[in-house]
Structures are given as structure tokens and as C-alpha cells.
Amino acid sequence: MNQDTDIQLSGPFKATDGSGRAVDIKSIRIFDEGYGVIDLYVDLAAPASDGLHKDKKLIAEISARLRTLGYSGPDLTAGDPVIQEKRLIVLDTPDEFLPFAVRKGFKDLTSEFDDE
């Protein structure tokens, strides 16, 4: 991914998955623009175990981290299994994530089509 088009939301931190294993997260980021639907990219320090992208405890801890940064909304959800990578978890964001992302610099391209 091109880092020039990313907004980093968080630097490194540790989280715990549902099995009690520590997961070293290098960063949480999003693309800087899109059409309202925002994928959240979680970069890992080590390769992920299969299915880690849908681990509810890990997702809850990532969501909690985002709340410490100003996000207010429900937990994120597991992203499409096809787009997961060894050192990258992709999570889906709810509609409530958009205002937070905009405050962090995200450009919602759908706003260009709003009637004035």
C-alpha cells in the first residue's frame, strides 16, 4: 500500500486475542479518501494466525484503542476474509466511524455529490 495515501490513527500497542495471546500491533490506518465506506488497516508485527481478523476480543481491543483516540461508536467488525494478509488485518467500520475519520483528515468523496 502507498503510505502517501494513508492516515495513521495509532502507533504501536499490544492487544490480546480470544485465546489470551498477545498481539503486537504496529499501526492502525485508513486511506485518506474514499466513498463513505472505510476499511481499517491493522498492521501486525508478526504473521497472524488463521482467522485472527474475526477474533471478537481482538476486535474489541482495537475498537477500544480507537475510542481512546476520539472514536465514539460500536465495535468494528471482521473484514472480508479474501482481503486479509499475513501481517495485515482489514476490519469493516460502521457508519459512526465516518465523522471520526473526517476529523482525522479523511476526505469523503460522496460529499461532492450532495445537493446544496
Side-chain angles (χ1 to χ4, degrees):
M1 290 188 186
N2 182 349
Q3 298 295 326
D4 292 340
T5 61
D6 293 350
I7 297 171
Q8 184 169 323
L9 301 175
S10 174
F13 69 100
K14 289 189 183 293
T16 305
D17 69 12
S19 300
R21 289 182 297 236
V23 177
D24 287 323
I25 296 175
K26 290 172 44 178
S27 67
I28 299 174
R29 58 191 168 82
I30 57 176
F31 284 134
D32 64 350
E33 63 183 20
Y35 288 95
V37 177
I38 303 171
D39 288 328
L40 185 90
Y41 301 94
V42 180
D43 295 301
L44 306 174
S49 58
D50 287 340
L52 189 63
H53 73 282
K54 56 187 175 184
D55 186 290
K56 291 182 184 201
K57 181 162 183 0
L58 180 63
I59 293 172
E61 290 202 12
I62 292 167
S63 298
R65 174 68 172 209
L66 291 169
R67 287 187 191 99
T68 68
L69 302 169
Y71 168 63
S72 59
D75 283 355
L76 285 66
T77 56
D80 187 336
V82 176
I83 60 175
Q84 307 302 320
E85 297 179 16
K86 291 242 185 251
R87 292 180 185 253
L88 176 71
I89 295 174
V90 182
L91 299 176
D92 291 337
T93 61
D95 292 340
E96 294 87 348
F97 189 82
L98 181 58
F100 168 71
V102 168
R103 286 193 310 273
K104 296 295 184 178
F106 177 78
K107 182 178 180 188
D108 181 8
L109 298 176
T110 61
S111 65
E112 295 175 5
F113 300 107
D114 291 342
D115 292 331
E116 294 184 24

